[in-house]
Amino acid sequence: MGRAFVYVILGGGVAAGYAALEFTKKGVSHGELCIISEETVVPYERPALSKGFLLPEAPARLPEFHTCVGANEERLTPKWYKEHGIELVLGTRVKSADVRRKTLLTATGETISYRVLIIATGARALKLEEFGVNGSDAENVCYLRDLTDATRLVNVMQSCPGGNAVVIGGGYIGMECAASLVINKINVAMVFPEAHCMARLFTPKIANYYEEFYKSKGVKFVKGTVLSSFDFNSEGKVTGVNLRDGSHLPADMVVVGIGIRPNTSLFEGQLTLEKGGIKVNGRLQSSNSSVYAVGDVAAFPVKIFGDTRRLEHVDSARKSARHAVAAIMEPDKTGEFDYLPFFYSRVFTLSWQFYGDSAGEVIHFGDFSGTTFGAYFVSKCHLVGSFLEGGTKEEYEAIAKATRLKPSVEDLAELERQGLGFALTVSQKPSPSSVVEVNGSELILERPLYAWHATAGIIVAASIAAFAYWYGRRRQRW
């Protein structure tokens, strides 16, 4: 028993929804495309799970946040997939894949074949047991990766109003869940081994701003240590958290956000892996020409930095999915994926965006006692990354454009003095040929050579006119 499709998307997360929409825009025929997902619902915007879904009042619920509303495009409901002739194989696990034969075998025993496969399997949450701590199966220990996890987290929150929550991990999930717990009037303690929150992205100064803000909301930070064990009651619920430094925290619930691992197991030994994910080229194509990978599971060339990276963020998932479909459907019109790494978060009244790479020397700017501040990252005398909290739409667009341009920066003190103004000036560059650099006491924005171009054009035009006149005179003589 089996079915055959031209295109198969394996995975039902954000990337699958955006790929499906792109397929329809590129003219996929009814019956050609299939999506296989372990989840029982059609693709949705996962960022909602740690934000709107956890709100105590008017929480976000499906079908409100199906893809592709996150990019201000149409909402792809089950009816939409049916109307576009896209086959949905939901609630189904694929237990093996054979990329040579172009087949997938489901847990129910069905074989699904394809001509082109897009791997959008995403990643799974790392479990405590992988670090030698037992207790993940306790009913008040929560992870957050999919809709089932989020629903369980809401139920646990509602079961302990005014109680104590311990958040294990100081990254994205930890910070966003901690904010949501506070909004739900639950006391929060965050535990992580690093010296400050969001250690992979934030500088100590930036992290301190957010930690102080969280503290003003009642959040307690326990840094430089890790979970060693849980205390349980007779019903198997966690009642306390024991840390390696010997301290103890009371707990009515625990939220664990200690990282993810890409879902590559089906393809190990069949496709080339790198950076923990499936290695792809600039067209998102794997070592097998019929197989593409997108989103968290893909390790792709980041052209602006000249290396291969695997990025764990919804923006990368959306854009890589679209590009892969374009490369499949319109190969002659589609170049290499040219992505500028982008991360963002919105918690409480705060909102930040980051573009590029957090490498090199850091130049902070703005008012860290106020609401708008940021940082530039400078490596080898070029701007490679920009961070901004509390910016306007235009200011965020400016730091994005400035980062992509990678302008030369020679005077760090001058860059600090100009602050956000530097990005605003650079973003208004009239021509890609312009050179932007910080040098000495002022910004030097080299003017494009429009005057030279104009002069040359006049000279050429005059020469042509003179020749035409001479040639015309000669024709008259013949």
Side-chain angles (χ1 to χ4, degrees):
M1 182 175 68
R3 286 180 281 178
F5 298 91
V6 179
Y7 312 105
V8 170
I9 301 171
L10 179 58
V14 171
Y18 282 80
L21 181 59
E22 193 69 14
F23 266 118
T24 64
K25 289 180 178 181
K26 301 298 183 186
V28 72
S29 299
H30 281 225
E32 287 187 336
L33 174 61
C34 169
I35 297 176
I36 307 173
S37 174
E38 289 191 37
E39 294 197 67
T40 57
V41 296
V42 298
Y44 54 87
E45 302 283 1
R46 291 193 190 276
L49 300 182
S50 60
K51 300 179 180 70
F53 195 87
L54 302 181
L55 292 176
E57 298 179 7
R61 292 291 182 267
L62 290 177
E64 181 182 339
F65 57 93
H66 279 303
T67 55
C68 299
V69 296
N72 297 315
E73 298 199 54
E74 59 185 307
R75 181 182 291 109
L76 312 187
T77 63
K79 180 181 178 182
W80 181 91
Y81 290 93
K82 184 175 181 180
E83 290 174 346
H84 288 81
I86 298 172
E87 187 75 13
L88 297 172
V89 183
L90 304 179
T92 300
R93 181 177 65 86
V94 170
K95 67 177 184 179
S96 66
D98 189 328
V99 299
R100 185 175 61 84
R101 295 180 177 176
K102 300 185 178 181
T103 59
L104 303 170
L105 179 63
T106 71
T108 60
E110 180 183 15
T111 298
I112 296 177
S113 62
Y114 60 84
R115 291 185 195 171
V116 178
L117 174 67
I118 296 180
I119 302 170
T121 49
R124 64 173 181 82
L126 289 172
K127 296 298 181 73
L128 291 171
E129 283 73 11
E130 296 175 70
F131 297 88
V133 178
N134 296 320
S136 287
D137 55 349
E139 65 178 79
N140 59 341
V141 173
C142 304
Y143 292 83
L144 185 58
R145 191 65 191 168
D146 56 27
L147 186 63
T148 300
D149 290 340
T151 302
R152 185 164 177 263
L153 177 54
V154 168
N155 292 335
V156 173
M157 282 197 303
Q158 293 174 345
S159 72
C160 57
N164 298 309
V166 177
V167 175
I168 307 297
Y172 255 109
I173 292 299
M175 294 295 283
E176 295 196 345
C177 284
S180 295
L181 289 164
V182 168
I183 293 170
N184 280 272
K185 295 180 168 47
I186 294 175
N187 304 310
V188 179
M190 294 188 69
V191 179
F192 47 86
E194 297 86 3
H196 59 77
C197 68
M198 296 289 291
R200 290 168 59 184
L201 186 63
F202 286 0
T203 67
K205 185 171 183 176
I206 291 173
N208 182 69
Y209 177 91
Y210 293 99
E211 289 181 9
E212 290 301 316
F213 190 96
Y214 273 55
K215 288 176 184 178
S216 73
K217 300 292 184 180
V219 176
K220 177 183 179 181
F221 287 89
V222 184
K223 299 181 282 188
T225 189
V226 296
L227 170 69
S228 60
S229 66
F230 291 128
D231 291 339
F232 301 91
N233 64 13
S234 58
E235 298 174 347
K237 287 186 177 181
V238 171
T239 58
V241 171
N242 300 307
L243 305 180
R244 186 174 293 173
D245 66 1
S247 57
H248 174 86
L249 298 170
D252 296 297
M253 64 177 294
V254 177
V255 179
V256 182
I258 52 177
I260 62 174
R261 179 159 295 159
N263 292 318
T264 61
S265 59
L266 288 172
F267 304 97
E268 290 174 6
Q270 300 188 77
L271 300 176
T272 301
L273 304 182
E274 188 173 322
K275 304 288 178 72
I278 295 170
K279 183 180 181 180
V280 295
N281 60 20
R283 302 172 69 82
L284 288 311
Q285 191 175 38
S286 75
S287 54
N288 181 296
S289 62
S290 299
V291 180
Y292 294 71
V294 297
D296 290 355
V297 77
F300 62 90
V302 180
K303 290 178 68 176
I304 191 171
F305 299 124
D307 61 6
T308 296
R309 301 190 183 187
R310 191 181 58 77
L311 301 175
E312 301 168 0
H313 198 271
V314 65
D315 184 69
S316 173
R318 291 167 179 158
K319 292 176 180 175
S320 62
R322 286 170 163 164
H323 195 89
V325 174
I328 292 165
M329 300 292 283
E330 298 177 340
D332 295 335
K333 297 180 181 179
T334 306
E336 293 191 343
F337 189 40
D338 188 8
Y339 182 68
L340 175 65
F342 169 52
F343 304 90
Y344 71 88
S345 184
R346 293 185 294 272
V347 292
F348 296 120
T349 57
L350 306 174
S351 177
W352 58 262
Q353 293 187 15
F354 176 87
Y355 294 89
D357 194 11
S358 55
E361 297 185 76
V362 183
I363 304 300
H364 297 97
F365 62 84
D367 182 8
F368 277 75
S369 63
T371 59
T372 302
F373 62 87
Y376 294 122
F377 294 80
V378 179
S379 179
K380 298 178 181 178
C381 296
H382 284 273
L383 179 70
V384 297
S386 301
F387 174 95
L388 181 62
E389 162 65 41
T392 64
K393 179 177 181 291
E394 293 73 21
E395 289 168 343
Y396 286 130
E397 289 173 351
I399 67 166
K401 184 174 181 181
T403 305
R404 179 172 285 282
L405 290 171
K406 295 182 68 177
S408 171
V409 177
E410 295 183 359
D411 190 329
L412 299 181
E414 177 60 19
L415 178 64
E416 181 179 15
R417 187 190 69 80
Q418 292 184 41
L420 184 57
F422 172 70
L424 292 170
T425 302
V426 170
S427 67
Q428 295 171 7
K429 274 178 60 179
S431 167
S433 64
S434 299
V435 177
V436 183
E437 61 180 15
V438 175
N439 187 2
S441 61
E442 62 181 40
L443 174 73
I444 298 176
L445 179 57
E446 183 181 298
R447 296 179 181 176
L449 304 179
Y450 293 157
W452 185 89
H453 293 161
T455 302
I458 291 171
I459 292 171
V460 171
S463 300
I464 292 172
F467 175 79
Y469 176 78
W470 173 80
Y471 185 74
R473 296 277 296 176
R474 289 197 54 153
R475 291 276 296 175
Q476 290 174 4
R477 295 195 197 107
W478 294 343

